[in-house]
Coordinates of all heavy atoms in Angstrom, one line a residue:
M932 N 37.0 21.2 62.4 CA 37.6 20.9 63.8 C 37.1 19.5 64.2 O 35.9 19.2 64.0 CB 37.2 21.9 64.8 CG 37.7 21.6 66.2 SD 37.4 23.0 67.2 CE 37.8 22.4 68.8
K933 N 38.0 18.7 64.7 CA 37.6 17.4 65.1 C 37.0 17.4 66.6 O 37.4 18.3 67.4 CB 38.8 16.5 65.1 CG 39.4 16.2 63.8 CD 40.6 15.3 63.8 CE 41.1 15.0 62.4 NZ 42.2 14.1 62.4
A934 N 36.1 16.6 66.8 CA 35.6 16.5 68.2 C 36.6 15.8 69.1 O 37.4 15.0 68.7 CB 34.3 15.7 68.2
I935 N 36.5 16.1 70.4 CA 37.4 15.5 71.4 C 36.6 14.7 72.4 O 35.7 15.2 72.9 CB 38.2 16.6 72.1 CG1 39.0 17.4 71.1 CG2 39.1 16.0 73.2 CD1 39.6 18.7 71.7
A936 N 37.0 13.4 72.5 CA 36.3 12.5 73.5 C 37.3 12.0 74.4 O 38.5 11.8 74.1 CB 35.6 11.4 72.7
F937 N 36.9 11.7 75.7 CA 37.7 11.1 76.7 C 37.2 9.8 77.1 O 36.0 9.6 77.2 CB 37.7 12.0 77.9 CG 38.4 13.4 77.8 CD1 37.7 14.4 77.2 CD2 39.7 13.5 78.2 CE1 38.4 15.7 77.0 CE2 40.4 14.7 78.0 CZ 39.7 15.8 77.5
T938 N 38.1 8.8 77.4 CA 37.8 7.6 78.0 C 37.5 7.8 79.4 O 37.8 8.9 80.0 CB 38.9 6.5 77.8 OG1 40.0 7.0 78.5 CG2 39.2 6.2 76.4
A939 N 36.9 6.8 80.1 CA 36.6 7.0 81.5 C 37.9 7.2 82.4 O 37.9 8.1 83.2 CB 35.9 5.8 82.1
A940 N 38.9 6.5 82.1 CA 40.2 6.7 82.8 C 40.8 8.1 82.5 O 41.3 8.7 83.4 CB 41.2 5.6 82.4
A941 N 40.7 8.5 81.3 CA 41.3 9.8 81.0 C 40.5 10.9 81.6 O 41.0 12.0 82.0 CB 41.3 10.0 79.4
T942 N 39.2 10.7 81.8 CA 38.3 11.7 82.5 C 38.7 11.8 84.0 O 38.8 12.9 84.5 CB 36.8 11.3 82.4 OG1 36.5 11.2 81.0 CG2 36.0 12.4 83.1
R943 N 39.0 10.7 84.6 CA 39.5 10.7 86.0 C 40.8 11.4 86.1 O 41.0 12.2 87.0 CB 39.6 9.3 86.6 CG 38.2 8.7 86.9 CD 38.4 7.4 87.7 NE 39.2 6.4 87.0 CZ 38.7 5.5 86.1 NH1 37.4 5.6 85.8 NH2 39.5 4.6 85.5
Q944 N 41.7 11.2 85.2 CA 43.0 11.8 85.2 C 42.9 13.3 84.9 O 43.6 14.1 85.6 CB 43.9 11.2 84.1 CG 44.3 9.8 84.4 CD 44.9 9.0 83.3 OE1 44.9 9.5 82.1 NE2 45.5 7.9 83.5
W945 N 42.0 13.7 84.0 CA 41.8 15.1 83.7 C 41.3 15.8 84.9 O 41.7 17.0 85.2 CB 40.7 15.2 82.6 CG 40.3 16.5 82.2 CD1 39.2 17.2 82.6 CD2 41.0 17.4 81.3 NE1 39.1 18.4 82.0 CE2 40.2 18.6 81.2 CE3 42.2 17.3 80.6 CZ2 40.6 19.7 80.4 CZ3 42.6 18.4 79.8 CH2 41.8 19.6 79.7
M946 N 40.3 15.2 85.7 CA 39.8 15.9 86.8 C 40.8 16.0 88.0 O 40.6 16.9 88.8 CB 38.5 15.2 87.3 CG 37.4 15.2 86.3 SD 37.0 16.8 85.7 CE 36.3 17.6 87.1
S947 N 41.8 15.2 88.0 CA 42.8 15.3 89.1 C 43.9 16.3 88.8 O 44.7 16.6 89.7 CB 43.4 13.9 89.3 OG 44.3 13.6 88.2
L948 N 43.9 16.9 87.6 CA 44.9 17.9 87.2 C 44.5 19.2 87.9 O 43.3 19.5 88.1 CB 45.0 18.1 85.7 CG 45.5 16.9 84.9 CD1 45.4 17.3 83.4 CD2 46.9 16.5 85.3
S949 N 45.5 20.1 88.1 CA 45.2 21.4 88.6 C 44.6 22.2 87.5 O 44.8 21.9 86.3 CB 46.5 22.1 89.1 OG 47.3 22.4 88.0
P950 N 43.8 23.2 87.9 CA 43.1 24.1 86.9 C 44.1 24.7 85.9 O 43.8 24.9 84.7 CB 42.4 25.1 87.7 CG 42.1 24.4 89.0 CD 43.3 23.6 89.2
A951 N 45.3 25.1 86.4 CA 46.3 25.8 85.5 C 46.8 24.8 84.4 O 46.9 25.1 83.2 CB 47.4 26.3 86.3
I952 N 47.1 23.6 84.8 CA 47.6 22.5 83.9 C 46.4 22.1 82.9 O 46.7 22.0 81.7 CB 48.1 21.3 84.7 CG1 49.3 21.6 85.6 CG2 48.5 20.2 83.7 CD1 50.5 22.2 84.8
R953 N 45.2 22.0 83.5 CA 44.1 21.7 82.6 C 43.9 22.7 81.5 O 43.6 22.3 80.4 CB 42.8 21.6 83.5 CG 41.9 20.4 83.1 CD 40.7 20.4 84.0 NE 41.0 20.3 85.4 CZ 40.2 20.4 86.4 NH1 38.9 20.7 86.1 NH2 40.5 20.3 87.6
S954 N 44.0 24.0 81.9 CA 43.9 25.0 80.9 C 44.9 24.9 79.8 O 44.6 25.1 78.6 CB 43.9 26.4 81.6 OG 43.9 27.4 80.7
R955 N 46.2 24.7 80.2 CA 47.3 24.6 79.2 C 47.1 23.4 78.3 O 47.2 23.6 77.0 CB 48.6 24.4 79.9 CG 49.1 25.7 80.6 CD 50.4 25.5 81.3 NE 51.4 24.9 80.4 CZ 52.4 24.1 80.8 NH1 52.6 23.9 82.1 NH2 53.3 23.6 80.0
V956 N 46.7 22.3 78.8 CA 46.5 21.1 78.0 C 45.3 21.3 77.1 O 45.3 20.9 75.9 CB 46.3 19.9 78.9 CG1 45.8 18.6 78.1 CG2 47.6 19.6 79.7
N957 N 44.2 21.9 77.6 CA 43.0 22.1 76.8 C 43.3 23.0 75.6 O 42.8 22.7 74.5 CB 41.9 22.7 77.7 CG 40.6 22.7 77.0 OD1 40.2 21.8 76.3 ND2 39.9 23.8 77.1
K958 N 44.1 24.1 75.8 CA 44.4 24.9 74.7 C 45.2 24.2 73.6 O 44.9 24.3 72.4 CB 45.3 26.1 75.2 CG 44.5 27.2 75.9 CD 45.4 28.3 76.4 CE 44.7 29.2 77.3 NZ 45.6 30.2 77.9
R959 N 46.2 23.4 74.0 CA 47.0 22.6 73.0 C 46.1 21.6 72.3 O 46.3 21.4 71.1 CB 48.2 22.0 73.7 CG 49.2 22.9 74.1 CD 49.8 23.8 73.0 NE 51.1 23.4 72.4 CZ 52.2 22.9 72.9 NH1 52.2 22.6 74.1 NH2 53.2 22.7 72.2
L960 N 45.2 20.9 73.1 CA 44.4 19.9 72.5 C 43.4 20.5 71.5 O 43.2 19.9 70.4 CB 43.7 19.1 73.6 CG 43.0 17.8 73.3 CD1 44.0 16.8 72.8 CD2 42.4 17.2 74.6
E961 N 42.8 21.6 71.8 CA 41.9 22.3 70.9 C 42.6 22.8 69.7 O 42.1 22.7 68.6 CB 41.1 23.4 71.6 CG 40.1 22.8 72.6 CD 39.3 24.0 73.3 OE1 39.7 25.1 73.2 OE2 38.3 23.6 73.9
A962 N 43.8 23.3 69.8 CA 44.6 23.8 68.7 C 44.9 22.6 67.8 O 44.9 22.8 66.5 CB 45.9 24.4 69.2
F963 N 45.3 21.5 68.3 CA 45.5 20.3 67.5 C 44.3 19.8 66.8 O 44.3 19.5 65.6 CB 46.1 19.1 68.3 CG 46.3 17.9 67.5 CD1 47.3 17.8 66.6 CD2 45.5 16.8 67.7 CE1 47.5 16.7 65.8 CE2 45.7 15.6 66.9 CZ 46.7 15.6 66.0
A964 N 43.1 19.8 67.5 CA 41.9 19.4 66.9 C 41.5 20.4 65.7 O 40.9 19.9 64.8 CB 40.8 19.3 67.9
A965 N 41.8 21.6 65.9 CA 41.4 22.6 64.9 C 42.3 22.6 63.7 O 41.8 22.6 62.5 CB 41.4 24.0 65.5
G966 N 43.6 22.5 63.9 CA 44.5 22.6 62.8 C 45.4 21.4 62.5 O 46.0 21.3 61.5
G967 N 45.6 20.6 63.5 CA 46.4 19.4 63.4 C 47.9 19.7 63.5 O 48.7 18.8 63.3
S968 N 48.3 20.9 63.8 CA 49.7 21.2 64.0 C 50.0 21.4 65.5 O 49.5 22.3 66.1 CB 50.1 22.5 63.2 OG 49.4 23.6 63.7
S969 N 50.9 20.6 66.0 CA 51.3 20.7 67.4 C 52.5 19.7 67.6 O 52.9 19.1 66.6 CB 50.2 20.4 68.3 OG 50.4 20.9 69.6
D970 N 53.0 19.6 68.8 CA 54.1 18.7 69.1 C 53.5 17.3 69.3 O 53.3 16.8 70.4 CB 54.9 19.1 70.3 CG 56.1 18.3 70.4 OD1 56.4 17.4 69.6 OD2 56.9 18.6 71.4
V971 N 53.2 16.6 68.2 CA 52.6 15.2 68.2 C 53.5 14.2 67.6 O 54.2 14.5 66.6 CB 51.2 15.2 67.4 CG1 50.7 13.8 67.3 CG2 50.2 16.2 68.1
K972 N 53.6 13.1 68.2 CA 54.5 12.1 67.7 C 53.8 10.7 67.8 O 53.1 10.5 68.8 CB 55.8 12.0 68.6 CG 56.9 11.2 68.1 CD 58.1 11.2 69.0 CE 59.3 11.6 68.3 NZ 60.5 11.6 69.1
R973 N 53.9 9.9 66.8 CA 53.3 8.6 66.9 C 54.1 7.7 67.9 O 55.3 7.8 68.0 CB 53.4 7.9 65.5 CG 52.6 8.6 64.4 CD 51.1 8.3 64.6 NE 50.4 9.3 63.9 CZ 49.1 9.6 64.2 NH1 48.5 9.0 65.2 NH2 48.5 10.6 63.6
L974 N 53.4 6.8 68.5 CA 54.0 6.0 69.5 C 54.4 4.6 68.9 O 53.6 4.1 68.1 CB 53.0 5.7 70.7 CG 52.6 6.9 71.5 CD1 51.5 6.5 72.5 CD2 53.8 7.5 72.2
K975 N 55.6 4.2 69.3 CA 56.1 2.9 68.8 C 55.4 1.7 69.5 O 55.3 1.8 70.7 CB 57.6 2.8 68.9 CG 58.3 3.8 68.1 CD 59.8 3.6 68.3 CE 60.6 4.6 67.5 NZ 62.0 4.5 67.7
G976 N 55.0 0.7 68.8 CA 54.5 -0.5 69.5 C 53.0 -0.3 69.9 O 52.5 -1.3 70.5
R977 N 52.4 0.8 69.7 CA 51.0 1.0 70.1 C 50.3 1.7 69.0 O 50.9 2.4 68.2 CB 50.9 1.9 71.3 CG 51.6 1.5 72.6 CD 51.3 2.4 73.7 NE 52.2 2.3 74.8 CZ 52.1 3.0 75.9 NH1 51.1 3.9 76.0 NH2 52.9 2.8 76.8
L978 N 49.0 1.6 69.1 CA 48.2 2.5 68.2 C 48.1 3.8 68.9 O 47.9 3.9 70.1 CB 46.8 1.9 68.0 CG 46.7 0.6 67.2 CD1 45.3 0.1 67.2 CD2 47.2 0.9 65.8
G979 N 48.2 4.9 68.2 CA 48.0 6.2 68.8 C 49.2 7.1 68.7 O 50.2 6.8 68.1
A980 N 49.1 8.2 69.4 CA 50.1 9.2 69.4 C 50.1 9.9 70.7 O 49.2 9.7 71.6 CB 49.8 10.2 68.3
R981 N 51.1 10.8 70.9 CA 51.1 11.6 72.1 C 51.3 13.1 71.8 O 51.9 13.4 70.8 CB 52.3 11.2 73.0 CG 53.7 11.4 72.5 CD 54.3 12.7 73.1 NE 55.7 12.8 72.7 CZ 56.1 13.8 71.9 NH1 55.3 14.7 71.5 NH2 57.3 13.9 71.6
L982 N 50.6 13.9 72.5 CA 50.7 15.4 72.4 C 51.5 15.9 73.6 O 51.2 15.5 74.7 CB 49.3 16.0 72.4 CG 49.2 17.5 72.5 CD1 49.8 18.1 71.2 CD2 47.8 17.9 72.7
R983 N 52.5 16.6 73.4 CA 53.4 17.1 74.4 C 53.0 18.5 74.8 O 52.9 19.4 74.0 CB 54.9 17.1 74.0 CG 55.8 17.4 75.1 CD 57.3 17.2 74.6 NE 57.6 18.3 73.7 CZ 58.4 19.3 74.0 NH1 59.0 19.3 75.1 NH2 58.7 20.2 73.1
V984 N 52.8 18.8 76.1 CA 52.5 20.1 76.7 C 53.4 20.3 77.9 O 53.1 19.9 79.0 CB 51.0 20.2 77.1 CG1 50.7 21.6 77.6 CG2 50.1 19.8 76.0
G985 N 54.6 20.8 77.6 CA 55.6 20.9 78.7 C 56.0 19.5 79.2 O 56.4 18.7 78.4
D986 N 55.8 19.3 80.5 CA 56.1 18.0 81.1 C 54.9 17.1 81.1 O 55.0 16.0 81.6 CB 56.6 18.2 82.5 CG 58.0 18.7 82.6 OD1 58.8 18.6 81.6 OD2 58.4 19.2 83.7
W987 N 53.8 17.5 80.5 CA 52.6 16.7 80.5 C 52.4 16.1 79.2 O 52.7 16.7 78.1 CB 51.4 17.6 80.9 CG 51.6 18.2 82.3 CD1 52.2 19.3 82.6 CD2 51.2 17.5 83.5 NE1 52.2 19.4 84.0 CE2 51.6 18.3 84.5 CE3 50.6 16.3 83.8 CZ2 51.4 18.0 85.9 CZ3 50.4 16.0 85.1 CH2 50.8 16.8 86.1
R988 N 51.8 14.9 79.1 CA 51.5 14.2 77.9 C 50.1 13.8 77.8 O 49.5 13.4 78.8 CB 52.4 12.9 77.8 CG 53.9 13.1 77.9 CD 54.4 13.9 76.7 NE 55.9 14.0 76.8 CZ 56.5 15.0 77.3 NH1 55.9 16.1 77.8 NH2 57.8 15.1 77.2
V989 N 49.6 13.9 76.6 CA 48.2 13.4 76.3 C 48.3 12.3 75.3 O 48.9 12.5 74.2 CB 47.3 14.5 75.7 CG1 46.0 14.0 75.3 CG2 47.3 15.7 76.6
I990 N 47.9 11.1 75.7 CA 48.0 9.9 74.8 C 46.6 9.8 74.1 O 45.6 9.8 74.8 CB 48.3 8.6 75.6 CG1 49.5 8.8 76.5 CG2 48.4 7.4 74.6 CD1 50.8 9.1 75.7
F991 N 46.6 9.7 72.8 CA 45.3 9.7 72.1 C 45.4 8.9 70.8 O 46.5 8.5 70.4 CB 44.8 11.1 71.8 CG 45.7 11.8 70.8 CD1 45.4 11.8 69.4 CD2 46.8 12.5 71.2 CE1 46.2 12.4 68.5 CE2 47.6 13.1 70.2 CZ 47.3 13.1 68.9
Y992 N 44.3 8.6 70.2 CA 44.2 8.1 68.9 C 43.1 8.8 68.1 O 42.2 9.4 68.7 CB 44.0 6.6 68.8 CG 42.8 6.0 69.4 CD1 41.6 5.9 68.6 CD2 42.7 5.7 70.8 CE1 40.5 5.4 69.2 CE2 41.5 5.2 71.3 CZ 40.4 5.1 70.5 OH 39.2 4.6 71.1
E993 N 43.2 8.8 66.8 CA 42.2 9.4 66.0 C 41.3 8.4 65.3 O 41.7 7.4 64.8 CB 42.9 10.3 64.9 CG 43.7 11.4 65.4 CD 44.3 12.3 64.4 OE1 43.6 12.9 63.6 OE2 45.6 12.3 64.4
E994 N 40.0 8.7 65.4 CA 39.0 7.7 64.9 C 37.9 8.5 64.2 O 37.3 9.4 64.8 CB 38.4 7.0 66.1 CG 37.3 6.1 65.8 CD 36.7 5.4 67.0 OE1 35.8 6.0 67.6 OE2 37.2 4.3 67.4
D995 N 37.7 8.2 62.9 CA 36.8 9.0 62.1 C 37.1 10.5 62.1 O 38.1 10.9 61.7 CB 35.3 8.7 62.4 CG 35.0 7.2 62.3 OD1 35.5 6.6 61.3 OD2 34.2 6.7 63.0
N996 N 36.2 11.2 62.7 CA 36.4 12.7 62.8 C 36.4 13.1 64.2 O 35.9 14.2 64.6 CB 35.2 13.4 62.0 CG 35.6 14.8 61.7 OD1 36.8 15.1 61.6 ND2 34.6 15.6 61.4
R997 N 37.1 12.3 65.0 CA 37.3 12.7 66.4 C 38.6 12.2 67.0 O 39.2 11.3 66.5 CB 36.1 12.2 67.3 CG 36.0 10.7 67.5 CD 34.8 10.3 68.3 NE 34.9 8.9 68.5 CZ 34.3 8.3 69.5 NH1 33.6 9.0 70.3 NH2 34.4 7.0 69.6
I998 N 39.0 12.9 68.1 CA 40.2 12.5 68.8 C 39.8 11.9 70.1 O 39.0 12.5 70.9 CB 41.0 13.8 69.1 CG1 41.5 14.4 67.8 CG2 42.2 13.4 70.0 CD1 42.1 15.7 67.9
V999 N 40.2 10.7 70.4 CA 39.9 10.0 71.6 C 41.1 10.0 72.5 O 42.1 9.4 72.2 CB 39.4 8.5 71.3 CG1 39.1 7.8 72.6 CG2 38.3 8.5 70.3
V1000 N 40.9 10.7 73.7 CA 42.0 10.8 74.6 C 42.0 9.6 75.5 O 40.9 9.3 76.1 CB 41.9 12.1 75.5 CG1 43.0 12.2 76.5 CG2 41.9 13.3 74.6
V1001 N 43.1 8.9 75.6 CA 43.2 7.6 76.4 C 43.8 7.9 77.8 O 43.4 7.3 78.8 CB 44.0 6.6 75.6 CG1 44.2 5.3 76.5 CG2 43.4 6.3 74.3
A1002 N 44.8 8.8 77.8 CA 45.5 9.0 79.1 C 46.1 10.4 79.1 O 46.5 11.0 78.1 CB 46.6 8.0 79.3
I1003 N 46.2 11.0 80.3 CA 46.8 12.3 80.5 C 47.6 12.2 81.8 O 47.1 11.8 82.8 CB 45.7 13.4 80.7 CG1 44.7 13.5 79.5 CG2 46.4 14.8 80.9 CD1 43.5 14.3 79.8
G1004 N 48.8 12.7 81.7 CA 49.6 12.6 82.9 C 51.0 13.2 82.7 O 51.4 13.7 81.6
H1005 N 51.8 13.2 83.8 CA 53.1 13.7 83.8 C 54.0 12.7 83.0 O 53.7 11.5 82.9 CB 53.7 13.8 85.2 CG 55.0 14.6 85.2 ND1 56.2 14.1 85.1 CD2 55.2 16.0 85.4 CE1 57.1 15.0 85.1 NE2 56.5 16.2 85.4
R1006 N 55.0 13.2 82.3 CA 55.8 12.4 81.4 C 56.5 11.2 82.0 O 56.7 10.2 81.4 CB 56.8 13.3 80.7 CG 57.9 13.8 81.6 CD 58.8 14.8 80.8 NE 59.7 15.4 81.7 CZ 61.0 15.1 81.7 NH1 61.5 14.3 80.9 NH2 61.8 15.7 82.6
R1007 N 56.8 11.3 83.3 CA 57.4 10.2 84.0 C 56.4 9.1 84.4 O 56.8 8.0 84.7 CB 58.2 10.6 85.2 CG 57.3 11.1 86.3 CD 58.1 11.4 87.6 NE 57.3 12.2 88.5 CZ 57.5 13.4 88.8 NH1 58.5 14.1 88.3 NH2 56.6 14.0 89.6
E1008 N 55.1 9.3 84.3 CA 54.1 8.4 84.7 C 53.2 7.9 83.6 O 52.6 6.8 83.8 CB 53.3 9.0 85.8 CG 54.1 9.4 87.1 CD 53.3 10.3 88.0 OE1 52.2 10.8 87.6 OE2 53.8 10.6 89.1
V1009 N 53.0 8.6 82.6 CA 51.9 8.4 81.6 C 52.2 7.2 80.7 O 51.3 6.5 80.3 CB 51.6 9.6 80.8 CG1 52.6 9.8 79.7 CG2 50.2 9.5 80.2
Y1010 N 53.5 6.8 80.5 CA 53.8 5.7 79.6 C 53.7 4.3 80.2 O 54.0 3.3 79.6 CB 55.1 5.9 79.0 CG 55.2 7.2 78.1 CD1 56.0 8.3 78.5 CD2 54.5 7.3 76.9 CE1 56.0 9.4 77.7 CE2 54.5 8.4 76.2 CZ 55.3 9.5 76.6 OH 55.3 10.6 75.8
D1011 N 53.5 4.2 81.5 CA 53.5 2.9 82.2 C 52.4 2.0 81.7 O 51.4 2.3 81.4 CB 53.3 3.1 83.7 CG 54.5 3.8 84.3 OD1 55.6 3.8 83.7 OD2 54.4 4.4 85.4

């Protein structure tokens, strides 16, 4: 299983999510870290990828043996 790390901005976004959304995102993120299978797509024009959890997106990149979360937000706002 890969370790999961958050940037400072992603930590602020994570704390602003409701507990129900946080729980859903956490389950999908841990499942991806454990097995690598989930709804993940590479982003065009940027380094990294996105994990889709309903209408919520987790923007991250993989480094060594860990996943670094850069942003978490609703799909209409996270790509700005």
